[in-house]
């Protein structure tokens, strides 16, 4: 119930206007968001890299309302890619297609994504297309495939295990050699498209992990690149220790080396687990969001864990 309310609030314009005016809310968001500026985000990447973790940088923003905003977001990503091409950074980028105009015009989003993919390819880096709510999934897959067919092999996708369709999508995508990040899913979905029960979402994530691990073996168990930019074919985006243990155990059983199985987690969540996995020899990548559009991202993080709401409110009393 609380999850549903929070996910509703993450999209409500009136709530965004209200909450972003509260100083304490911005302070609380700092747990999940690396800062307002690219400079602050680069500082966070340096700190992560120093302890053996790679990063994926997200310039926060989604559901733009006009072509100028989409074009500005595209330019911002090109600047971001330029900043992280310095060899000191072990990082790539993640983005949302509705930030590039997918909600307005498919061709606009495709063209903006092509500019970003081209720039990333010229820098030898990788861009992950985050997955948003279910009405956008088909168009995200089309954009990925269109660019892949044009020769952009430096892009990858996210698959959400709460969607019924994901086993079928994953089977096709792994056969095409797609670099996937497997997650549970963070949006409000109806029972006609997504599993309402957590146990089913968890089971599906394990199934997808098995499929992706088998495919990674078939494709030669390619490791994450040593510069920390390009991830292996299989990445698990989760903080759930049971899901992580399942993927590790299955990979070990079928002989996929640790270097070909990446674990990804969100900035500010389970830093202990991030370090532990890296110390054990797995590639670990932290998703680092930054920017002034922190509201919807932060409220989705609250929805994932009701205890975070109390953490959020406790900032009201901090100075
Ligand atoms: P689960 O929610 O079961 O949590 C397991 C444990 O992790 C909890 O018990 C708690 O200890 C910890 N935890 C999880 N969330 C927490 C939080 N917010 N605060 C504090 N502790 C928390 N979703 C999507 O729809 N599209 C996408 O593109 C992405 N991209 C993405 C990238 C990466 C790197 C990650 C890690 C996640 C995403 N997600 C996402 C979000 C994902 O779908 C999911 O909502 C969250 O990861 C939470 O699910 P868990 O798998 O962590 O399990």
């Amino acid at each position: 119930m609380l999850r549903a309310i929070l996910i509703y609030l993450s999209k409500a314009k009136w709530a965004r206007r209200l909450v972003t005016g509260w100083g304490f809310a911005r302070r609380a968001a700092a747990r999940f968001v690396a800062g307002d500026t690219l400079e602050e985000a680069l500082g966070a990447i340096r700190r992560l890299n120093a302890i053996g973790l790679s990063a994926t940088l997200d310039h926060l923003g989604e559901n733009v309302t006009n072509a100028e905003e989409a074009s500005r977001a595209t330019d911002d990503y090109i600047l971001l890619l330029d900043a992280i091409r310095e060899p000191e950074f072990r990082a790539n980028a993640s983005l949302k297609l509705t930030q590039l105009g997918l909600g307005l015009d498919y061709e606009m989003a495709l063209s903006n994504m092509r500019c970003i993919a081209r720039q990333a390819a010229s820098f030898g880096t990788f861009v992950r297309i985050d997955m948003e709510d279910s009405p956008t999934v088909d168009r995200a897959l089309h954009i990925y495939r269109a660019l892949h067919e044009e020769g952009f092999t430096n892009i990858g996708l996210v698959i959400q295990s709460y969607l019924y369709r994901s086993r079928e999508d994953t089977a096709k995508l792994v056969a095409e050699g797609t670099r996937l990040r497997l997650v549970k899913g963070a949006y409000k979905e109806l029972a006609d498209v997504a599993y309402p029960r957590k146990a089913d979402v968890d089971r599906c994530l394990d199934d997808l992990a098995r499929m992706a691990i088998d495919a990674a073996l078939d494709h030669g168990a390619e490791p994450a690149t040593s510069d920390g930019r390009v991830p292996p074919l299989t990445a698990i985006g989760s903080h759930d220790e049971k899901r992580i243990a399942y993927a590790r155990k299955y990979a070990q059983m079928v002989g996929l080396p640790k270097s070909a199985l990446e674990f990804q987690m969100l900035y500010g969540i389970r830093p202990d687990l991030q370090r532990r996995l890296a110390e054990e020899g797995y590639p670990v990548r932290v998703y680092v969001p930054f920017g002034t559009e922190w509201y919807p991202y932060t409220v989705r993080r609250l929805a994932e864990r009701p205890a975070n709401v109390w953490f959020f409110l406790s900032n009201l009393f901090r100075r």
Side-chain angles (χ1 to χ4, degrees), residues 31-32 130-132 158 160 162 181 183-187 198 202 205 237-240 264-266 269-270 287 301-302 304-305 308:
R31 173 178 167 194
F32 304 111
D130 286 345
M131 197 57 85
E132 301 177 69
V158 176
Q160 299 152 320
Y162 62 15
R181 174 200 296 147
V183 304
K184 292 187 186 179
Y187 296 82
K198 180 171 161 42
D202 289 349
L205 189 61
S238 178
H239 317 89
D240 183 338
Q264 302 190 352
M265 292 183 221
L266 301 176
I269 300 181
R270 296 298 312 267
Y287 186 102
R301 302 295 75 83
L302 302 185
E304 282 158 3
R305 195 158 181 254
N308 287 346

Side-chain angles (χ1 to χ4, degrees), residues 20 93 134 141-142 144-145 206 217 276 287 295 308:
T20 51
S134 58
L141 293 184
H142 277 130
Y144 165 77
R145 286 198 170 105
D206 292 345
L217 264 182
R276 199 189 331 139
Y287 186 102
Y295 175 79
N308 287 346

Side-chain angles (χ1 to χ4, degrees), residues 137-154:
V137 173
D138 276 328
R139 282 171 292 153
L141 293 184
H142 277 130
I143 288 186
Y144 165 77
R145 286 198 170 105
L147 294 178
H148 204 246
E149 274 166 29
E150 288 177 28
F152 291 104
T153 54
N154 62 324

Side-chain angles (χ1 to χ4, degrees), residues 164-317:
Y164 302 135
R165 61 178 287 171
S166 286
R167 283 188 182 84
E168 206 176 310
D169 285 338
T170 302
K172 290 185 189 142
L173 287 163
V174 296
E176 294 162 23
T178 307
R179 288 177 206 281
L180 292 180
R181 174 200 296 147
L182 306 174
V183 304
K184 292 187 186 179
Y187 296 82
K188 173 92 193 101
E189 299 291 355
L190 297 174
D192 57 349
V193 293
Y195 295 109
R197 291 177 47 237
K198 180 171 161 42
D200 294 321
V201 179
D202 289 349
R203 190 170 315 114
C204 184
L205 189 61
D206 292 345
D207 290 350
L208 303 183
R210 245 182 8 254
M211 291 161 78
I213 288 168
D214 286 342
L217 264 182
D218 291 346
H219 283 85
E222 192 189 303
T225 55
S226 58
D227 61 8
R229 284 161 201 241
V230 184
L233 285 179
T234 307
I236 313 284
S238 178
H239 317 89
D240 183 338
E241 295 205 48
K242 288 195 180 131
R243 309 289 68 76
I244 291 170
Y246 182 89
R248 291 176 56 158
K249 200 168 160 198
Y250 184 74
Q252 207 175 3
M253 194 181 89
V254 297
L256 185 75
K258 286 181 176 177
S259 57
L261 178 61
E262 184 165 281
F263 291 103
Q264 302 190 352
M265 292 183 221
L266 301 176
Y267 181 80
I269 300 181
R270 296 298 312 267
D272 56 325
L273 184 56
Q274 297 171 10
R275 277 186 91 141
R276 199 189 331 139
L277 288 165
E279 280 160 13
E280 287 179 31
Y282 289 99
V284 177
R285 189 175 303 275
V286 180
Y287 186 102
V288 178
F290 76 98
T292 52
E293 296 290 312
W294 51 267
Y295 175 79
Y297 177 87
T298 303
V299 179
R300 284 200 295 275
R301 302 295 75 83
L302 302 185
E304 282 158 3
R305 195 158 181 254
N308 287 346
V309 175
W310 306 120
F311 157 79
F312 187 81
L313 292 174
S314 70
N315 280 269
L316 185 54
F317 306 105

